[in-house]
Amino acid sequence: MRLAACRAHIRPEPPVPLSTRPSSRRPVPALLSVLALSLVAAVAPAADPPASVHPSLWPRAHWPFPPDPALEARVQALLKRMTVEEKVGQVIQADIGSVTPEDVRKYRLGAVLAGGNSKPGGARTATAAQWQALADAFYHASMDASGGHVAIPVLFGIDAVHGNNGTVGATLFPQNSALGNARDPELLREIGAATAAEVRASGLNWTFAPTLAVPQDDRWGRSYEGYSEDPKVVASYAAAMVEGLQGRAGTPQFLDGSHAIASAKHYLGDGGTRDGVDQGDNPDDEATLARIHAAGYPPAVDAGVQTVMASFSSWRGAKMSGNKGLLTDVLKRRMDFGGFVVGDWNSHGQVAGCRNEDCPQAINAGLDMFMAPDSWKGLYEHTLAEVKAGAIPMARLDDAVGRILRVKLRLHLFEQGAPSSLPLARRAAQVLGSPAHRELARRAVRESLVLLKNNGGVLPLDPRKRILVAGEGADSISMQSGGWTLNWQGTGFTNADFPGARSIWDGIRAQVQAAGGTAELSVDGRYARKPDAAVVVFGEDPYAEFQGDIPNVGYRPGDTRDLDLLRRLRAQGIPVVAVFLSGRPLWVNPEINAADAFVAAWLPGSEGEGVADVLLRTREGRVAHDFRGRLAWSWPKSAVQTPLDPGQPGYDPQFPFGYGLTYADRHELPPLPEVSGLSGAQVPAGVYFERGRAVRGYALGLYGADGARAGGDVSPAATADGALRESALDYRAQEDARRFAWSKDRARLALAARRPLDLDRETNGDVLLVSTLRVDAVSPQGAWLGMGCGAGCGGRVALGGQLAALPKGQWLRVGVPLKCFRAAGVDMRRVDVPFEWVAGPGTAIALSRVALGTNVDRTLDCAAP
């Protein structure tokens, strides 16, 4: 059944009031009084009203907790004691990079979180002991009852999405896109329990997992956070992971000291955005939205998931964080969800008529807790004023706070004491990365591997022979773990940052040496003695949201380094096994053809020995572990293939959903077609200047001290007044960089975009403008990096002494946070000059690449002089 996309306002229905008693006797601050006077009317209507929702068409679920008079009495007693200020504090969550324990004590915030790049004290990484110390500080602040405050313990959330991945030494399980291939819900339950234990051992009590998205377009950069493109697979995993994280509802283990609050995310439809654009719009009809994208939520609710995270994305133009029909009418009423709904990182600010610091529409729609990482203080002030002015009904606020309190009570937060006092926290050294957890992760790796090709029975390999291990991913724990690993994008780390973990090379070497064979590591494939077989490990570099979105599903279009390595080894008569690391299926037909065997290893995490377990025989020649994985994803036949569901007319993938060989199969894969379907030069999104040239869609200009422009696309070049000169030079290849030298003040170089760019979502994250550069000289008059956003709009960041402090004559990847440009006045929604460099006379720099990214050698501080 296909439903019409009718547009209509959904009349708000107030929730059943938990308490209507006015609870504040404190005077309203002057700022709040002004705000209140401007908010006495109803909430401003959305500019684009949401499509109508028909709750009766949606699946039902059953909240598994019977009425609990004792718990309800405690909730009501707390609500009666709380002031309106304390209630507003409870519905706000702030990031540890922007909030202190003293802030929690003053504003009575209900929760804090650690975003992907946020660590205690601003450190690069964090240990369990550091997390515990910070968690204790926030806990004690929240429990301070001086001044008549009500002591309500704070929740501390983190994205533990493939293990406790924000803590050094934790077990890193395979990413979700790998686990879907295992078809093993019980495995998921065990992984959830192990993850929860390591989270609680670190002093935290809430994980933003599991992701129940059903990715329908592999171009989406968060595809690897989903278990499968098939809603049945996602539904089969949802309850298992929730019960693993939280414990089974109704048992003594439920939310005990070994379990953590789970969060089903991202509600709803983020896996179906148009063209796979993150935070984009899902255009599906209501029946499709319910059948595919909601599949995991009823099982999660049945299992008692305590929180649901609202998505950044939209459905038919209306942002989820402001969609009452889906948040309240479907999730809370039709699906009987009794926990609380939390927003994503400032997701409320994208609701029509809202901004990060002000969004009554979201809470009125059914959002119970704002995730306001760096906007929390302004949001607190506006929300408080809006409650007092009646724009947010007191009944709605009490409903939201009541939901939050029930979750805290079910978690026993009021009785458990400081986070470091829990038994698991006291044994953190034994819990984090324990042998049992690592063995579980190793098993998960084995079950997730999918064998796509095994011509001539090359696999399994004999470990008693001479084996070469090559490729960029062979000895990279960071690469085999992917994004959301120690930081948001998973970049900037070496193997030394992962104590106890083992790379794929480590695993192969250990087993080959134990069997009496010889293993050699050579990233570029050059060997001392010809091997009997080669294992080449290659694939995607780590990424997360924003950075992971791609324009097509081709694997590194235009970059043949991995293909060249495979072909070179095979041309030498060496049997080649390709091990492909990726968060999603990609078009790799040439690479499959260039190998005798091809293994989709996905992102296996910290236990690389699990790959060796399946690739190698035992020393006695037996097969100890066969391939068990079956594709949870359709594998594309071309780089431009339009995703289609199995069973739909025209479904014709290279490898269908459910495909996967075992050692018993004697299937010889014929050569695959190598026509990608792409045309023209392929440039990844967010790249502006590559190999010394402006990429397609951008133009490089040189501007003299008099403002006159000269083209910079051909070297050598110079402005008419000689203020700025450009010449070509070699960095890694012939003329793949440009050198710029200033002789007069006010000269500049700039990259202009053919069409304005919307960089708002990247700015709200921690994305950087990254320049691959070499500093040869810096003028005492300084240098500035800027962006433009149309006539009279722009801003510059002073690089000052930071640039002068960089080592001269050395190539570095130097990043400046996009937030710096916004703070300097750039409208990040309409950037038409994404890169501008202004410097004084005597400055000389070389540039090879300019792009958005997070993997850098140095990050410059825009606040520094």
Side-chain angles (χ1 to χ4, degrees):
M1 177 180 180
R2 185 172 293 271
L3 299 175
C6 58
R7 301 278 183 176
H9 290 282
I10 299 176
R11 180 174 297 177
E13 299 178 19
V16 177
L18 295 174
S19 172
T20 57
R21 176 178 180 268
S23 54
S24 176
R25 302 269 192 293
R26 298 180 184 175
V28 181
L31 171 61
L32 301 187
S33 298
V34 173
L35 289 170
L37 290 174
S38 66
L39 292 165
V40 180
V43 176
D48 187 9
S52 293
V53 174
H54 305 81
S56 62
L57 300 179
W58 290 74
R60 287 191 178 276
H62 176 68
W63 188 240
F65 303 98
D68 186 339
L71 181 145
E72 197 59 33
R74 293 184 68 183
V75 170
Q76 296 300 327
L78 287 168
L79 285 171
K80 289 179 180 178
R81 292 174 55 206
M82 294 170 70
T83 64
V84 69
E85 288 84 358
E86 290 170 327
K87 291 178 180 180
V88 169
Q90 284 297 299
V91 302
I92 291 177
Q93 181 179 41
D95 184 75
I96 62 172
S98 303
V99 71
T100 65
E102 182 55 39
D103 291 328
V104 169
R105 178 180 288 106
K106 178 179 179 181
Y107 291 93
R108 319 309 292 177
L109 301 184
V112 296
L113 81 148
N117 289 340
S118 298
K119 302 293 184 294
R124 174 173 166 271
T125 59
T127 64
Q130 290 170 317
W131 284 120
Q132 285 184 27
L134 184 61
D136 278 359
F138 280 119
Y139 169 80
H140 289 305
S142 68
M143 297 302 286
D144 183 353
S146 61
H149 284 303
V150 180
I152 300 176
V154 67
L155 285 169
F156 198 151
I158 195 167
D159 286 272
V161 294
H162 65 124
N164 187 21
N165 43 264
T167 301
V168 170
T171 308
L172 301 175
F173 294 94
Q175 297 276 7
N176 289 352
S177 60
L179 295 175
N181 304 288
R183 305 293 206 282
D184 188 346
E186 187 55 38
L187 173 67
L188 268 289
R189 193 185 313 276
E190 294 180 48
I191 289 173
T195 300
E198 296 202 14
V199 166
R200 295 308 293 270
S202 301
L204 312 179
N205 50 35
W206 182 9
T207 174
F208 304 132
T211 296
L212 300 180
V214 188
Q216 300 295 287
D217 192 325
D218 298 328
R219 292 175 293 179
W220 185 38
R222 304 192 78 158
S223 291
Y224 68 86
E225 295 186 47
Y227 296 115
S228 175
E229 69 184 30
D230 185 273
K232 296 184 181 66
V233 174
V234 175
S236 73
Y237 276 11
M241 179 55 86
V242 168
E243 290 182 348
L245 289 168
Q246 296 187 163
R248 195 183 298 271
T251 69
Q253 290 74 39
F254 179 74
L255 291 183
D256 63 7
S258 299
H259 293 89
I261 292 295
S263 184
K265 68 180 190 183
H266 303 88
Y267 185 88
L268 184 67
D270 53 340
T273 57
R274 186 178 284 108
D275 298 326
V277 173
D278 191 50
Q279 301 185 18
D281 185 56
N282 186 317
D284 290 338
D285 58 52
E286 187 177 4
T288 302
L289 193 71
R291 177 178 60 86
I292 293 179
H293 299 288
Y297 289 91
V301 172
D302 289 343
V305 67
Q306 294 295 290
T307 67
V308 169
M309 183 180 290
S311 177
F312 269 119
S313 60
S314 306
W315 178 51
R316 297 194 164 189
K319 286 291 179 179
M320 281 292 158
S321 290
N323 194 314
K324 179 182 178 294
L326 291 173
L327 293 181
T328 298
D329 298 337
V330 170
L331 179 62
K332 292 182 177 180
R333 293 178 179 157
R334 178 70 175 180
M335 293 188 187
D336 198 30
F337 173 60
F340 71 82
V341 178
V342 63
D344 206 339
W345 188 279
N346 278 331
S347 64
H348 59 273
Q350 297 184 8
V351 174
C354 290
R355 54 194 179 90
N356 292 351
E357 294 78 15
D358 186 13
C359 192
Q361 293 95 318
I363 194 167
N364 284 342
L367 197 76
D368 300 305
M369 180 179 284
F370 294 101
M371 185 183 287
D374 53 0
S375 60
W376 64 269
K377 188 174 292 185
L379 184 65
Y380 172 91
E381 292 170 345
H382 282 90
T383 303
L384 180 58
E386 287 151 356
V387 171
K388 293 188 174 185
I392 298 174
M394 182 61 72
R396 172 75 269 265
L397 179 64
D398 279 349
D399 177 54
V401 176
R403 287 172 175 270
I404 294 166
L405 293 176
R406 291 185 190 94
V407 170
K408 293 183 175 185
L409 288 166
R410 292 189 194 106
L411 188 58
H412 313 290
L413 281 190
F414 289 83
E415 297 80 35
Q416 283 183 345
S420 65
S421 68
L422 289 177
L424 287 185
R426 293 198 296 266
R427 298 189 296 108
Q430 291 75 46
V431 177
L432 266 289
S434 71
H437 292 171
R438 292 194 181 279
E439 181 53 41
L440 175 63
R442 184 170 169 178
R443 173 188 146 205
V445 175
R446 293 195 297 262
E447 291 194 28
S448 301
L449 302 176
V450 180
L451 180 61
L452 299 181
K453 177 182 180 181
N454 191 23
N455 285 11
V458 168
L459 287 174
L461 298 175
D462 186 345
R464 297 168 296 183
K465 299 292 185 66
R466 181 177 295 276
I467 297 178
L468 173 71
V469 183
E472 291 183 351
D475 192 29
S476 174
I477 296 169
S478 179
M479 190 168 169
Q480 73 191 38
S481 297
W484 288 109
T485 300
L486 294 186
N487 67 15
W488 178 36
Q489 297 286 329
T491 55
F493 300 104
T494 67
N495 287 0
D497 293 306
F498 301 93
R502 307 197 78 174
S503 68
I504 294 172
W505 154 248
D506 290 331
I508 293 175
R509 174 181 57 183
Q511 294 187 31
V512 168
Q513 291 180 347
T518 302
E520 179 182 357
L521 174 66
S522 173
V523 171
D524 65 4
R526 305 190 185 279
Y527 46 80
R529 181 177 169 186
K530 186 175 180 179
D532 297 304
V535 177
V536 180
V537 187
F538 65 100
E540 293 187 287
D541 293 321
Y543 58 83
E545 56 204 280
F546 310 152
Q547 294 298 289
D549 288 0
I550 51 178
N552 58 69
V553 292
Y555 171 62
R556 289 184 174 172
D559 184 345
T560 62
R561 53 186 156 166
D562 299 315
L563 178 60
D564 294 342
L565 173 58
L566 293 166
R567 287 173 171 170
R568 175 162 50 86
L569 290 170
R570 202 174 184 204
Q572 296 167 9
I574 302 169
V576 175
V577 177
V579 176
F580 185 51
L581 301 174
S582 72
R584 53 195 160 194
L586 294 172
W587 185 75
V588 285
N589 281 13
E591 288 80 3
I592 293 175
N593 287 340
D596 297 284
F598 195 96
V599 178
W602 312 96
L603 297 172
S606 62
E607 306 313 302
E609 195 158 11
V611 176
D613 288 343
V614 184
L615 297 188
L616 302 174
R617 296 181 182 271
T618 66
R619 68 174 73 187
E620 296 80 19
R622 294 184 297 102
V623 173
H625 301 284
D626 202 345
F627 284 91
R628 292 184 51 185
R630 299 291 181 270
L631 286 179
W633 314 82
S634 302
W635 202 278
K637 182 172 282 186
S638 78
V640 294
Q641 188 165 26
T642 302
L644 287 172
D645 291 338
Q648 282 188 319
Y651 179 72
D652 184 31
Q654 187 64 69
F655 301 104
F657 174 87
Y659 180 89
L661 302 175
T662 69
Y663 286 137
D665 295 314
R666 296 292 180 236
H667 174 70
E668 292 288 313
L669 186 71
L672 303 177
E674 296 192 8
V675 178
S676 70
L678 300 174
S679 61
Q682 299 300 310
V683 180
V687 177
Y688 311 128
F689 190 75
E690 181 77 276
R691 298 174 185 171
R693 293 177 176 83
V695 304
R696 185 176 58 187
Y698 299 86
L700 175 64
L702 310 181
Y703 296 83
D706 57 1
R709 182 186 184 279
D713 292 328
V714 178
S715 290
T719 59
D721 62 359
L724 178 59
R725 296 183 179 276
E726 171 193 344
S727 58
L729 77 159
D730 299 344
Y731 168 37
R732 289 181 171 173
Q734 184 175 0
E735 294 193 3
D736 66 339
R738 297 290 183 267
R739 188 175 189 272
F740 302 92
W742 279 257
S743 62
K744 295 182 181 179
D745 198 10
R746 296 190 301 279
R748 61 190 176 94
L749 63 95
L751 287 165
R754 185 178 302 165
R755 298 182 183 86
L757 310 170
D758 185 351
L759 302 182
D760 189 61
R761 61 175 186 159
E762 290 86 348
T763 305
N764 286 336
D766 291 308
V767 177
L768 314 174
L769 180 65
V770 181
S771 305
T772 302
L773 58 79
R774 187 187 73 192
V775 176
D776 293 339
V778 179
S779 168
Q781 296 180 29
W784 296 262
L785 192 60
M787 285 186 173
C789 44
C793 178
R796 293 174 180 171
V797 176
L799 303 181
Q802 296 184 87
L803 190 65
L806 294 177
K808 302 297 185 293
Q810 180 178 331
W811 285 96
L812 295 168
R813 294 165 300 178
V814 177
V816 175
L818 293 182
K819 290 180 179 178
C820 296
F821 299 103
R822 182 168 64 187
V826 178
D827 181 350
M828 303 305 290
R829 294 181 184 272
R830 53 186 185 98
V831 174
D832 59 0
V833 178
F835 179 85
E836 178 191 54
W837 193 291
V838 185
T843 298
I845 64 165
L847 280 174
S848 178
R849 189 174 196 264
V850 177
L852 301 183
T854 59
N855 197 7
V856 297
D857 301 305
R858 302 285 178 88
T859 299
L860 303 187
D861 182 359
C862 53

